[in-house]
Amino acid sequence: MSSLSTNPYKGTRDYYPADKRKQNYIFGVWAKVARRFGYEEYGAPLLEPLEVYTAKSGQELVGEQTYRFVDRGDREVVIRPEMTPSISRMVAARRQEMAYPARLFSIANYMRYERPQRGREREFWQLNADIFGAEGVQADAEIITLGFELMKAFGAKPDMYVIKLNSRTVIDAMMHDYLGLDPIQAPLMVKLFDRKDKITNENFRDQAIEIFGVDGAKEGLAKLAQLLVAKGIEGLPKEIADNPAVEELASLFSELKTRGVVNAQFDITLMRGFDYYTGVVFEFFDTHPDNNRAMFGGGRYDGLVGLFGAEPLSAVGMAPGLSMMEVFLESHDLMPELASTTEVYVAVLGDNTLPGASKLTGRLREEGVNVELDFTGRKIDKQIKTAVKKHIPYVLFVGEAELKSEKYNLKDTHTGEEEAFSFERLVARIKDRRRKYSTDDDALFE
RNA sequence: GCGAAUGUAGCUCAUCUGGUUAGAGCGCCGGUUUGUGGUACCGGAGGUAGCGGGUUCAAUCCCCGUCAUUCGCCCCA
Protein backbone atom coordinates (compact mmCIF):
# COMPACT_ATOMS: atom_id res chain seq x y z
CA MET A 1 0.00 0.00 0.00
CA SER A 2 1.66 3.20 -1.14
CA SER A 3 1.09 6.46 0.70
CA LEU A 4 -1.32 9.11 -0.51
CA SER A 5 -0.08 11.36 -3.30
CA THR A 6 0.59 14.99 -2.46
CA ASN A 7 -0.11 16.04 -6.05
CA PRO A 8 -3.21 18.10 -6.65
CA TYR A 9 -5.81 16.69 -9.03
CA LYS A 10 -4.75 16.77 -12.69
CA GLY A 11 -4.93 20.24 -14.17
CA THR A 12 -5.49 21.98 -10.83
CA ARG A 13 -3.06 23.96 -8.71
CA ASP A 14 -2.35 24.45 -5.03
CA TYR A 15 -1.96 28.05 -3.97
CA TYR A 16 0.53 28.43 -1.15
CA PRO A 17 0.83 31.92 0.36
CA ALA A 18 3.45 32.98 -2.22
CA ASP A 19 1.19 31.84 -5.08
CA LYS A 20 -1.86 33.32 -3.44
CA ARG A 21 -0.07 36.68 -3.20
CA LYS A 22 0.33 36.71 -6.98
CA GLN A 23 -3.25 35.66 -7.45
CA ASN A 24 -4.50 38.35 -5.09
CA TYR A 25 -2.35 40.95 -6.79
CA ILE A 26 -3.86 40.15 -10.18
CA PHE A 27 -7.39 39.93 -8.79
CA GLY A 28 -6.83 43.23 -6.98
CA VAL A 29 -5.77 45.04 -10.15
CA TRP A 30 -8.65 43.54 -12.11
CA ALA A 31 -11.21 44.62 -9.54
CA LYS A 32 -9.70 48.05 -9.14
CA VAL A 33 -9.73 48.84 -12.86
CA ALA A 34 -13.21 47.36 -13.37
CA ARG A 35 -14.51 49.56 -10.53
CA ARG A 36 -12.79 52.59 -12.06
CA PHE A 37 -14.98 52.04 -15.11
CA GLY A 38 -18.10 51.80 -12.97
CA TYR A 39 -18.49 48.03 -13.01
CA GLU A 40 -20.04 46.34 -9.97
CA GLU A 41 -19.21 42.91 -8.68
CA TYR A 42 -21.62 39.96 -8.73
CA GLY A 43 -21.39 36.23 -8.06
CA ALA A 44 -23.08 33.14 -9.46
CA PRO A 45 -23.33 29.47 -8.44
CA LEU A 46 -20.57 27.00 -9.18
CA LEU A 47 -23.16 24.58 -10.59
CA GLU A 48 -25.67 25.25 -13.32
CA PRO A 49 -28.29 23.04 -14.96
CA LEU A 50 -26.97 21.47 -18.14
CA GLU A 51 -29.49 23.30 -20.35
CA VAL A 52 -27.93 26.66 -19.53
CA TYR A 53 -25.00 25.65 -21.74
CA THR A 54 -26.48 23.42 -24.41
CA ALA A 55 -28.23 26.17 -26.34
CA LYS A 56 -25.43 28.47 -27.33
CA SER A 57 -21.99 27.69 -25.97
CA GLY A 58 -20.96 25.32 -28.72
CA GLN A 59 -21.25 21.55 -28.83
CA GLU A 60 -17.58 20.83 -28.16
CA LEU A 61 -17.57 22.68 -24.88
CA VAL A 62 -20.73 21.12 -23.48
CA GLY A 63 -20.30 17.64 -24.89
CA GLU A 64 -16.66 16.95 -24.15
CA GLN A 65 -15.16 19.64 -21.99
CA THR A 66 -17.51 19.98 -19.06
CA TYR A 67 -17.54 18.35 -15.67
CA ARG A 68 -21.11 17.09 -15.50
CA PHE A 69 -22.99 14.70 -13.28
CA VAL A 70 -26.44 13.67 -12.21
CA ASP A 71 -27.33 14.87 -8.72
CA ARG A 72 -29.31 12.92 -6.10
CA GLY A 73 -32.51 14.40 -7.45
CA ASP A 74 -31.74 13.13 -10.99
CA ARG A 75 -30.91 16.62 -12.28
CA GLU A 76 -28.14 16.96 -14.83
CA VAL A 77 -25.72 19.58 -13.57
CA VAL A 78 -22.49 21.09 -14.85
CA ILE A 79 -19.61 22.76 -13.02
CA ARG A 80 -19.53 26.13 -14.76
CA PRO A 81 -17.04 26.16 -17.65
CA GLU A 82 -17.55 29.90 -18.19
CA MET A 83 -19.57 32.78 -16.79
CA THR A 84 -21.36 34.26 -19.77
CA PRO A 85 -24.44 31.98 -19.69
CA SER A 86 -24.78 32.40 -15.91
CA ILE A 87 -24.71 36.17 -15.97
CA SER A 88 -27.06 36.19 -18.94
CA ARG A 89 -29.44 34.03 -16.92
CA MET A 90 -29.15 36.39 -13.94
CA VAL A 91 -29.80 39.46 -16.07
CA ALA A 92 -32.75 37.76 -17.81
CA ALA A 93 -34.27 36.96 -14.41
CA ARG A 94 -34.29 40.67 -13.49
CA ARG A 95 -34.74 41.94 -17.03
CA GLN A 96 -37.34 44.56 -16.07
CA GLU A 97 -35.94 46.01 -12.87
CA MET A 98 -32.21 46.31 -13.53
CA ALA A 99 -30.67 49.72 -14.28
CA TYR A 100 -29.25 49.94 -17.80
CA PRO A 101 -26.70 49.96 -19.16
CA ALA A 102 -25.71 47.39 -16.53
CA ARG A 103 -21.97 47.18 -15.99
CA LEU A 104 -21.04 43.99 -14.17
CA PHE A 105 -17.90 42.09 -13.27
CA SER A 106 -16.96 38.95 -11.39
CA ILE A 107 -13.76 37.10 -10.52
CA ALA A 108 -14.44 33.41 -10.23
CA ASN A 109 -13.14 29.91 -10.90
CA TYR A 110 -14.31 27.52 -13.62
CA MET A 111 -13.64 23.94 -14.63
CA ARG A 112 -13.17 22.46 -18.01
CA TYR A 113 -12.20 18.87 -18.78
CA GLU A 114 -9.34 19.24 -21.23
CA ARG A 115 -5.67 18.64 -21.78
CA PRO A 116 -3.65 20.86 -19.43
CA GLN A 117 -0.84 22.92 -20.95
CA ARG A 118 1.14 25.96 -19.94
CA GLY A 119 -1.26 28.74 -19.07
CA ARG A 120 -4.20 26.37 -19.44
CA GLU A 121 -5.58 24.32 -16.59
CA ARG A 122 -8.66 22.31 -15.78
CA GLU A 123 -9.54 24.67 -12.98
CA PHE A 124 -8.95 28.28 -13.91
CA TRP A 125 -9.83 31.77 -12.74
CA GLN A 126 -11.18 34.61 -14.82
CA LEU A 127 -12.33 38.15 -14.65
CA ASN A 128 -15.62 38.58 -16.49
CA ALA A 129 -16.66 42.12 -17.39
CA ASP A 130 -19.85 42.73 -19.35
CA ILE A 131 -22.19 45.54 -20.34
CA PHE A 132 -25.85 44.70 -20.80
CA GLY A 133 -28.35 46.93 -22.56
CA ALA A 134 -25.95 49.07 -24.57
CA GLU A 135 -25.92 48.62 -28.31
CA GLY A 136 -23.39 49.93 -30.75
CA VAL A 137 -19.76 50.80 -30.90
CA GLN A 138 -19.65 52.88 -27.70
CA ALA A 139 -20.12 49.75 -25.59
CA ASP A 140 -17.77 47.69 -27.74
CA ALA A 141 -15.14 50.40 -27.46
CA GLU A 142 -15.57 50.64 -23.71
CA ILE A 143 -15.06 46.91 -23.14
CA ILE A 144 -11.94 46.85 -25.29
CA THR A 145 -10.64 50.00 -23.59
CA LEU A 146 -11.23 48.35 -20.24
CA GLY A 147 -8.99 45.51 -21.38
CA PHE A 148 -6.39 47.99 -22.57
CA GLU A 149 -6.43 49.84 -19.23
CA LEU A 150 -6.19 46.55 -17.38
CA MET A 151 -3.00 45.77 -19.25
CA LYS A 152 -1.72 49.26 -18.56
CA ALA A 153 -2.41 48.87 -14.84
CA PHE A 154 -0.09 45.85 -14.84
CA GLY A 155 2.61 47.93 -16.46
CA ALA A 156 2.19 46.51 -19.97
CA LYS A 157 3.26 48.76 -22.82
CA PRO A 158 1.14 48.76 -26.01
CA ASP A 159 3.94 47.18 -28.02
CA MET A 160 3.95 44.10 -25.79
CA TYR A 161 0.68 42.88 -27.27
CA VAL A 162 -1.83 43.59 -30.03
CA ILE A 163 -5.59 43.68 -29.94
CA LYS A 164 -6.99 41.77 -32.91
CA LEU A 165 -10.46 42.77 -34.01
CA ASN A 166 -13.08 41.30 -36.26
CA SER A 167 -16.85 41.10 -36.38
CA ARG A 168 -19.25 38.22 -36.74
CA THR A 169 -21.49 40.31 -38.98
CA VAL A 170 -18.53 41.14 -41.19
CA ILE A 171 -17.61 37.45 -41.22
CA ASP A 172 -21.16 36.56 -42.26
CA ALA A 173 -21.10 39.18 -45.01
CA MET A 174 -17.77 37.79 -46.22
CA MET A 175 -18.99 34.21 -46.20
CA HIS A 176 -22.46 34.62 -47.66
CA ASP A 177 -22.62 37.86 -49.66
CA TYR A 178 -19.07 38.04 -50.90
CA LEU A 179 -17.82 34.44 -51.17
CA GLY A 180 -21.31 33.13 -51.89
CA LEU A 181 -21.04 30.20 -49.47
CA ASP A 182 -24.13 28.32 -48.33
CA PRO A 183 -24.98 27.57 -44.67
CA ILE A 184 -23.08 24.28 -44.83
CA GLN A 185 -19.94 25.68 -46.45
CA ALA A 186 -19.72 28.85 -44.37
CA PRO A 187 -18.93 27.28 -40.98
CA LEU A 188 -16.27 25.12 -42.59
CA MET A 189 -14.64 28.19 -44.06
CA VAL A 190 -14.81 29.94 -40.68
CA LYS A 191 -12.94 27.02 -39.11
CA LEU A 192 -10.40 27.11 -41.90
CA PHE A 193 -9.81 30.84 -41.33
CA ASP A 194 -9.38 30.11 -37.65
CA ARG A 195 -6.44 27.77 -38.25
CA LYS A 196 -4.92 29.68 -41.14
CA ASP A 197 -1.81 30.65 -39.19
CA LYS A 198 -1.17 27.05 -38.22
CA ILE A 199 -1.13 25.46 -41.65
CA THR A 200 0.84 26.03 -44.84
CA ASN A 201 -0.49 28.16 -47.67
CA GLU A 202 -0.76 25.05 -49.86
CA ASN A 203 -2.85 23.27 -47.25
CA PHE A 204 -5.03 26.31 -46.84
CA ARG A 205 -5.57 26.48 -50.57
CA ASP A 206 -6.37 22.79 -50.91
CA GLN A 207 -8.85 22.85 -48.07
CA ALA A 208 -10.45 25.98 -49.47
CA ILE A 209 -10.94 24.30 -52.84
CA GLU A 210 -12.58 21.40 -51.07
CA ILE A 211 -15.07 23.75 -49.44
CA PHE A 212 -15.87 25.70 -52.60
CA GLY A 213 -16.39 22.52 -54.63
CA VAL A 214 -15.15 21.99 -58.18
CA ASP A 215 -17.58 24.42 -59.77
CA GLY A 216 -16.96 27.41 -57.54
CA ALA A 217 -13.29 26.85 -56.77
CA LYS A 218 -11.76 29.14 -59.36
CA GLU A 219 -13.93 32.16 -58.68
CA GLY A 220 -13.89 31.46 -54.96
CA LEU A 221 -10.13 31.35 -54.70
CA ALA A 222 -9.78 34.62 -56.57
CA LYS A 223 -12.15 36.34 -54.19
CA LEU A 224 -10.49 34.70 -51.19
CA ALA A 225 -7.13 36.00 -52.31
CA GLN A 226 -8.51 39.55 -52.41
CA LEU A 227 -9.84 39.16 -48.87
CA LEU A 228 -6.66 37.81 -47.41
CA VAL A 229 -4.47 40.40 -49.02
CA ALA A 230 -6.34 43.11 -47.15
CA LYS A 231 -4.04 44.57 -44.49
CA GLY A 232 -6.54 46.74 -42.70
CA ILE A 233 -10.22 47.31 -42.93
CA GLU A 234 -9.62 49.84 -45.75
CA GLY A 235 -8.05 47.18 -47.91
CA LEU A 236 -11.19 45.06 -48.13
CA PRO A 237 -12.67 44.42 -51.60
CA LYS A 238 -15.22 47.01 -52.76
CA GLU A 239 -18.13 44.55 -52.72
CA ILE A 240 -18.12 44.35 -48.95
CA ALA A 241 -16.36 47.58 -48.02
CA ASP A 242 -19.66 49.48 -47.96
CA ASN A 243 -21.48 46.83 -45.97
CA PRO A 244 -22.95 48.46 -42.81
CA ALA A 245 -21.13 45.98 -40.60
CA VAL A 246 -17.80 47.04 -42.07
CA GLU A 247 -18.66 50.69 -41.54
CA GLU A 248 -19.51 49.94 -37.96
CA LEU A 249 -16.17 48.24 -37.46
CA ALA A 250 -14.45 51.27 -38.96
CA SER A 251 -16.17 53.57 -36.50
CA LEU A 252 -15.14 51.26 -33.66
CA PHE A 253 -11.53 51.73 -34.69
CA SER A 254 -11.85 55.49 -34.59
CA GLU A 255 -13.58 55.30 -31.18
CA LEU A 256 -10.70 53.24 -29.87
CA LYS A 257 -8.21 55.71 -31.22
CA THR A 258 -9.83 58.61 -29.37
CA ARG A 259 -9.66 56.55 -26.18
CA GLY A 260 -5.94 56.05 -26.56
CA VAL A 261 -6.08 52.40 -27.59
CA VAL A 262 -3.24 52.45 -30.08
CA ASN A 263 -2.56 48.75 -30.66
CA ALA A 264 -5.86 47.52 -32.12
CA GLN A 265 -5.78 46.05 -35.60
CA PHE A 266 -8.22 44.39 -37.96
CA ASP A 267 -7.64 40.65 -38.36
CA ILE A 268 -9.77 38.93 -40.93
CA THR A 269 -8.83 35.48 -39.66
CA LEU A 270 -9.94 36.11 -36.07
CA MET A 271 -13.05 33.98 -35.46
CA ARG A 272 -13.32 32.80 -31.83
CA GLY A 273 -15.00 29.58 -30.93
CA PHE A 274 -18.30 30.45 -29.33
CA ASP A 275 -21.51 30.17 -31.27
CA TYR A 276 -23.13 32.93 -29.24
CA TYR A 277 -21.13 35.87 -30.59
CA THR A 278 -23.19 38.15 -32.83
CA GLY A 279 -21.04 41.22 -33.48
CA VAL A 280 -17.55 42.43 -32.75
CA VAL A 281 -15.05 39.82 -31.55
CA PHE A 282 -11.55 40.56 -30.28
CA GLU A 283 -8.48 38.93 -28.85
CA PHE A 284 -5.55 40.32 -26.87
CA PHE A 285 -2.49 38.70 -28.35
CA ASP A 286 0.94 38.54 -26.66
CA THR A 287 3.76 39.59 -28.99
CA HIS A 288 6.55 38.24 -26.77
CA PRO A 289 8.52 35.66 -28.80
CA ASP A 290 8.31 33.07 -26.00
CA ASN A 291 4.59 33.46 -25.56
CA ASN A 292 3.19 34.34 -28.95
CA ARG A 293 -0.46 33.53 -28.49
CA ALA A 294 -3.92 34.69 -27.56
CA MET A 295 -4.22 35.75 -23.94
CA PHE A 296 -7.88 36.56 -23.70
CA GLY A 297 -10.76 37.92 -25.69
CA GLY A 298 -14.41 38.65 -25.86
CA GLY A 299 -17.12 40.04 -28.03
CA ARG A 300 -20.74 40.95 -28.51
CA TYR A 301 -23.44 38.39 -27.77
CA ASP A 302 -26.84 39.99 -28.26
CA GLY A 303 -28.88 36.79 -28.29
CA LEU A 304 -28.12 35.14 -24.97
CA VAL A 305 -30.45 36.97 -22.57
CA GLY A 306 -33.40 36.34 -24.89
CA LEU A 307 -32.83 32.60 -24.63
CA PHE A 308 -34.12 32.71 -21.06
CA GLY A 309 -37.53 33.93 -22.19
CA ALA A 310 -36.82 37.57 -21.44
CA GLU A 311 -37.06 40.38 -23.93
CA PRO A 312 -33.76 40.29 -25.87
CA LEU A 313 -30.97 42.47 -24.56
CA SER A 314 -27.70 43.44 -26.15
CA ALA A 315 -24.48 42.47 -24.38
CA VAL A 316 -20.75 42.73 -24.85
CA GLY A 317 -18.02 41.41 -22.60
CA MET A 318 -14.59 39.96 -22.15
CA ALA A 319 -12.80 37.50 -19.89
CA PRO A 320 -9.07 37.56 -19.07
CA GLY A 321 -7.72 34.46 -17.33
CA LEU A 322 -5.38 34.30 -14.34
CA SER A 323 -2.83 31.83 -15.73
CA MET A 324 -2.44 33.64 -19.04
CA MET A 325 -2.03 36.91 -17.18
CA GLU A 326 0.64 35.37 -14.95
CA VAL A 327 2.52 33.98 -17.94
CA PHE A 328 2.32 37.38 -19.64
CA LEU A 329 3.56 39.28 -16.60
CA GLU A 330 6.41 36.87 -16.02
CA SER A 331 7.60 36.72 -19.63
CA HIS A 332 7.63 40.53 -19.80
CA ASP A 333 9.18 40.80 -16.35
CA LEU A 334 6.23 42.74 -14.98
CA MET A 335 5.44 40.67 -11.89
CA PRO A 336 6.27 42.84 -8.87
CA GLU A 337 7.78 41.55 -5.66
CA LEU A 338 4.82 41.05 -3.38
CA ALA A 339 4.67 41.49 0.38
CA SER A 340 2.71 39.50 2.95
CA THR A 341 -0.60 40.84 4.21
CA THR A 342 1.03 40.69 7.62
CA GLU A 343 2.53 44.14 7.99
CA VAL A 344 4.57 43.84 11.16
CA TYR A 345 6.56 41.02 12.76
CA VAL A 346 7.19 41.69 16.41
CA ALA A 347 10.61 40.38 17.42
CA VAL A 348 10.85 39.90 21.18
CA LEU A 349 14.20 40.47 22.90
CA GLY A 350 15.19 39.52 26.40
CA ASP A 351 13.71 37.17 28.97
CA ASN A 352 10.87 39.05 30.62
CA THR A 353 9.65 41.20 27.77
CA LEU A 354 7.03 38.91 26.24
CA PRO A 355 4.11 40.29 28.33
CA GLY A 356 5.00 43.87 27.32
CA ALA A 357 5.50 42.91 23.68
CA SER A 358 2.23 41.05 23.66
CA LYS A 359 0.42 44.07 25.04
CA LEU A 360 1.98 46.32 22.41
CA THR A 361 0.94 43.84 19.72
CA GLY A 362 -2.63 44.06 20.97
CA ARG A 363 -2.58 47.84 20.78
CA LEU A 364 -1.33 47.71 17.18
CA ARG A 365 -4.11 45.29 16.27
CA GLU A 366 -6.66 47.65 17.78
CA GLU A 367 -5.31 50.31 15.44
CA GLY A 368 -6.04 47.98 12.54
CA VAL A 369 -2.48 46.88 11.86
CA ASN A 370 -1.85 43.25 10.82
CA VAL A 371 0.69 41.99 13.34
CA GLU A 372 2.39 38.67 14.03
CA LEU A 373 4.01 38.15 17.43
CA ASP A 374 7.06 35.91 17.77
CA PHE A 375 6.60 34.28 21.16
CA THR A 376 9.23 31.56 20.65
CA GLY A 377 12.01 33.22 22.62
CA ARG A 378 14.47 32.42 19.82
CA LYS A 379 17.57 34.41 19.03
CA ILE A 380 16.96 37.65 17.26
CA ASP A 381 18.56 36.65 13.96
CA LYS A 382 16.16 33.69 13.71
CA GLN A 383 13.24 35.98 14.32
CA ILE A 384 14.35 38.37 11.59
CA LYS A 385 14.96 35.50 9.17
CA THR A 386 11.46 34.22 9.75
CA ALA A 387 9.97 37.63 8.99
CA VAL A 388 12.04 37.95 5.82
CA LYS A 389 11.06 34.48 4.68
CA LYS A 390 7.42 35.34 5.12
CA HIS A 391 7.83 38.55 3.10
CA ILE A 392 6.63 40.66 6.00
CA PRO A 393 7.57 44.30 5.28
CA TYR A 394 8.48 45.37 8.83
CA VAL A 395 10.12 43.90 11.91
CA LEU A 396 9.43 45.71 15.17
CA PHE A 397 11.99 45.13 17.91
CA VAL A 398 10.63 45.03 21.44
CA GLY A 399 13.03 44.70 24.36
CA GLU A 400 13.36 46.12 27.82
CA ALA A 401 14.82 49.41 26.64
CA GLU A 402 11.99 49.94 24.13
CA LEU A 403 9.25 49.15 26.63
CA LYS A 404 10.75 51.61 29.07
CA SER A 405 11.32 54.46 26.59
CA GLU A 406 8.19 53.72 24.52
CA LYS A 407 10.25 54.20 21.37
CA TYR A 408 10.34 51.20 19.07
CA ASN A 409 12.78 50.32 16.34
CA LEU A 410 11.03 49.52 13.08
CA LYS A 411 13.10 47.73 10.49
CA ASP A 412 12.16 47.72 6.82
CA THR A 413 12.98 44.17 5.72
CA HIS A 414 13.24 45.18 2.09
CA THR A 415 15.69 48.07 2.41
CA GLY A 416 17.23 47.04 5.73
CA GLU A 417 16.72 50.55 7.10
CA GLU A 418 15.75 51.00 10.71
CA GLU A 419 14.19 53.92 12.54
CA ALA A 420 12.81 54.58 16.06
CA PHE A 421 9.17 55.64 16.39
CA SER A 422 6.69 56.49 19.10
CA PHE A 423 3.53 54.36 19.05
CA GLU A 424 1.48 56.96 17.17
CA ARG A 425 4.13 57.62 14.53
CA LEU A 426 4.61 53.88 14.18
CA VAL A 427 0.95 53.36 13.32
CA ALA A 428 0.99 56.30 10.92
CA ARG A 429 4.04 54.97 9.15
CA ILE A 430 2.55 51.52 8.64
CA LYS A 431 -0.74 52.93 7.40
CA ASP A 432 1.06 55.18 4.92
CA ARG A 433 2.61 52.14 3.40
CA ARG A 434 -0.72 50.38 3.22
CA ARG A 435 -2.37 53.30 1.42
CA LYS A 436 0.41 53.27 -1.13
CA TYR A 437 0.04 49.62 -2.12
CA SER A 438 -3.49 48.58 -1.32
CA THR A 439 -5.94 47.67 -4.08
CA ASP A 440 -8.89 47.63 -1.70
CA ASP A 441 -11.77 49.82 -2.75
CA ASP A 442 -14.34 49.10 -0.08
CA ALA A 443 -16.52 52.00 0.94
CA LEU A 444 -19.34 52.95 3.32
CA PHE A 445 -22.28 55.31 2.99
CA GLU A 446 -21.99 57.86 5.74
C1' G B 1 -9.60 12.17 -28.03
C1' C B 2 -4.59 11.71 -31.12
C1' G B 3 1.04 12.23 -31.63
C1' A B 4 5.83 13.22 -29.15
C1' A B 5 9.33 14.38 -25.16
C1' U B 6 10.49 14.36 -20.05
C1' G B 7 10.21 12.32 -14.76
C1' U B 8 17.09 11.24 -9.99
C1' A B 9 17.41 15.60 -2.85
C1' G B 10 12.98 21.45 -1.77
C1' C B 11 15.07 23.65 -6.84
C1' U B 12 18.53 23.16 -11.29
C1' C B 13 21.02 19.09 -12.94
C1' A B 14 25.26 15.04 -12.97
C1' U B 15 25.81 9.50 -12.60
C1' C B 16 30.55 8.21 -19.20
C1' U B 17 27.62 2.31 -23.72
C1' G B 18 23.58 -1.87 -16.81
C1' G B 19 28.46 -3.12 -12.22
C1' U B 20 30.17 -2.27 -4.80
C1' U B 21 27.41 2.70 0.47
C1' A B 22 23.55 7.63 -6.44
C1' G B 23 26.85 13.07 -6.53
C1' A B 24 27.22 18.68 -7.22
C1' G B 25 25.52 23.75 -6.95
C1' C B 26 21.75 26.50 -4.83
C1' G B 27 18.20 26.06 -0.82
C1' C B 28 17.20 24.12 4.22
C1' C B 29 18.85 23.20 9.59
C1' G B 30 22.82 24.11 13.34
C1' G B 31 27.39 26.77 14.76
C1' U B 32 31.24 30.87 14.40
C1' U B 33 27.97 35.66 16.60
C1' U B 34 23.07 35.03 24.08
C1' G B 35 19.97 42.93 20.64
C1' U B 36 19.71 42.77 14.06
C1' G B 37 18.53 38.59 8.13
C1' G B 38 19.99 38.20 2.94
C1' U B 39 28.08 38.14 2.62
C1' A B 40 32.18 34.58 4.58
C1' C B 41 33.88 30.07 7.07
C1' C B 42 32.67 25.24 9.67
C1' G B 43 29.25 21.26 10.49
C1' G B 44 24.50 18.60 9.52
C1' A B 45 19.88 16.66 7.71
C1' G B 46 17.54 15.22 3.28
C1' G B 47 16.77 10.35 -2.24
C1' U B 48 13.29 2.39 -2.00
C1' A B 49 15.74 7.46 -9.15
C1' G B 50 7.23 9.14 -10.25
C1' C B 51 4.65 4.38 -9.43
C1' G B 52 3.90 -0.99 -10.81
C1' G B 53 5.64 -5.11 -13.43
C1' G B 54 9.34 -7.64 -16.66
C1' U B 55 14.45 -9.02 -18.70
C1' U B 56 19.31 -9.90 -16.10
C1' C B 57 24.07 -12.72 -11.68
C1' A B 58 23.17 -7.33 -11.33
C1' A B 59 18.55 -1.92 -13.44
C1' U B 60 18.56 5.28 -12.30
C1' C B 61 20.18 3.17 -17.17
C1' C B 62 16.93 -1.94 -21.32
C1' C B 63 11.39 -3.54 -22.19
C1' C B 64 5.97 -3.11 -20.95
C1' G B 65 2.14 -0.71 -18.28
C1' U B 66 0.49 3.37 -15.39
C1' C B 67 0.44 8.37 -13.35
C1' A B 68 2.16 13.38 -13.83
C1' U B 69 4.33 17.50 -16.44
C1' U B 70 5.68 19.89 -21.09
C1' C B 71 5.20 20.52 -26.55
C1' G B 72 2.17 19.79 -31.00
C1' C B 73 -2.91 18.37 -33.11
C1' C B 74 -8.04 19.19 -31.73
C1' C B 75 -10.22 23.16 -29.14
C1' C B 76 -9.91 27.64 -26.75
C1' A B 77 -15.07 30.84 -22.45
Side-chain angles (χ1 to χ4, degrees), chain A residues 419-431:
Chain A
E419 206 179 329
F421 292 103
S422 67
F423 184 79
E424 289 71 23
R425 297 233 13 246
L426 190 62
V427 171
R429 172 61 174 269
I430 294 160
K431 289 195 170 172

Side-chain angles (χ1 to χ4, degrees), chain A residues 8-13 114 116 120-124:
Chain A
Y9 168 72
K10 185 183 174 79
T12 66
R13 283 184 57 185
E114 66 174 349
R120 213 166 88 175
E121 288 138 347
R122 286 187 169 180
E123 182 189 27
F124 57 99

Side-chain angles (χ1 to χ4, degrees), chain A residues 254-298:
Chain A
S254 81
E255 277 298 328
L256 287 172
K257 211 168 173 186
T258 64
R259 289 162 199 246
V261 179
V262 293
N263 53 350
Q265 51 183 245
F266 178 63
D267 187 331
I268 201 167
T269 66
L270 176 67
M271 297 289 154
R272 292 188 68 74
F274 278 150
D275 292 345
Y276 54 57
Y277 287 122
T278 56
V280 63
V281 289
F282 59 88
E283 226 158 56
F284 282 57
F285 203 91
D286 194 348
T287 52
H288 194 284
D290 296 343
N291 190 40
N292 202 257
R293 57 169 154 181
M295 292 186 289
F296 66 91

Side-chain angles (χ1 to χ4, degrees), chain A residues 82 89 192 273 283 376 394 446:
Chain A
E82 55 161 333
R89 177 180 63 70
L192 182 58
E283 226 158 56
T376 62
Y394 294 115
E446 293 192 88

Side-chain angles (χ1 to χ4, degrees), chain A residues 309-321:
Chain A
E311 193 187 334
L313 190 65
S314 62
V316 55
M318 59 149 192

